[in-house]
Amino acid sequence: MLNVFVVGCNGRMGKLVCELIRKSDDMKVVGGYDCKHGPGIDDPDIEVSDHIIDLENVDVIIDFSRPSATMKAIEVAVEYNVPIVIATTGFTAEQEAIIEEAAKTIPIFKSSNMSFGVYILNQLVAYAAEALSDYDPEIHEIHHRMKADSPSGTAKMLANTIADHRHISKISYG
């Protein structure tokens, strides 16, 4: 049984992650971290805290939260030597450096978007960036009103893919 600690467990994606884990035969949510704490919103058996203190029996952390929460989770993950999956976006350059440093001591899987469809889109963008090198690409995105970061991590990921395949180092967002 894989014991999972979910950061951002009371948010939109965090709730979905917890629900999918509950349906699994080989994983179990053993705790959560969220600014909305107390008994879990969708599962009162999960204790949700506003701090992370003990990861002794945790096998992996899954993070769908905000950058400040991710930074706290990384700090404790390094202390307890627990791998972390980061699906949060909107990090500053300093926070990205902290994540890169932590990755030297613990396994970290980080993606700006966990969707298989966006993965395929990113592959197509890489191909198009090379095949259509004389074209001037633009990325336009539309989100729900609750979207926390703009441009989104997905838009930045696609822009970086274009830059990488065109050997461009400077990307402007906005």
Side-chain angles (χ1 to χ4, degrees):
M1 182 67 65
L2 188 68
N3 291 329
V4 181
F5 188 92
V6 180
V7 178
C9 59
N10 284 333
R12 286 177 51 178
M13 286 304 298
K15 286 184 204 178
L16 181 59
V17 167
C18 289
E19 178 184 331
L20 292 171
I21 292 171
R22 276 195 302 276
K23 292 178 181 177
S24 169
D25 294 330
D26 55 355
M27 294 191 295
K28 177 183 178 186
V29 177
V30 295
Y33 169 69
D34 202 289
C35 59
K36 303 172 207 153
H37 54 280
I41 288 176
D42 287 345
D43 187 345
D45 294 332
I46 300 171
E47 183 61 32
V48 180
S49 177
D50 64 346
H51 57 283
I52 306 169
I53 52 172
D54 183 13
L55 297 178
E56 197 65 44
N57 297 314
V58 172
D59 298 309
V60 65
I61 298 168
I62 298 177
D63 170 45
F64 272 93
S65 64
R66 297 188 183 269
S68 59
T70 303
M71 292 299 103
K72 292 175 185 176
I74 285 176
E75 183 181 320
V76 180
V78 168
E79 179 184 341
Y80 283 86
N81 196 35
V82 175
I84 186 168
V85 175
I86 301 173
T88 298
T89 60
F91 297 106
T92 65
E94 181 182 326
Q95 290 169 327
E96 290 284 1
I98 291 168
I99 293 168
E100 290 215 13
E101 188 63 31
K104 293 176 183 175
T105 58
I106 61 170
I108 295 178
F109 176 83
K110 178 177 175 280
S111 179
S112 298
N113 191 304
M114 296 291 179
S115 163
F116 180 68
V118 171
Y119 167 78
I120 295 299
L121 174 63
N122 198 44
Q123 299 299 308
L124 294 170
V125 166
Y127 175 77
E130 292 177 14
L132 303 171
S133 60
D134 292 339
Y135 288 74
D136 186 18
E138 286 189 31
I139 298 171
H140 295 270
E141 61 179 341
I142 299 171
H143 289 282
H144 52 84
R145 63 183 172 83
M146 304 300 286
K147 181 71 177 132
D149 58 332
S150 180
S152 69
T154 302
K156 289 180 180 180
M157 176 182 69
L158 296 172
N160 286 328
T161 295
I162 293 168
D164 290 346
H165 285 81
R166 290 195 174 175
H167 310 290
I168 300 168
S169 60
K170 176 79 172 133
I171 300 173
S172 63
Y173 305 107

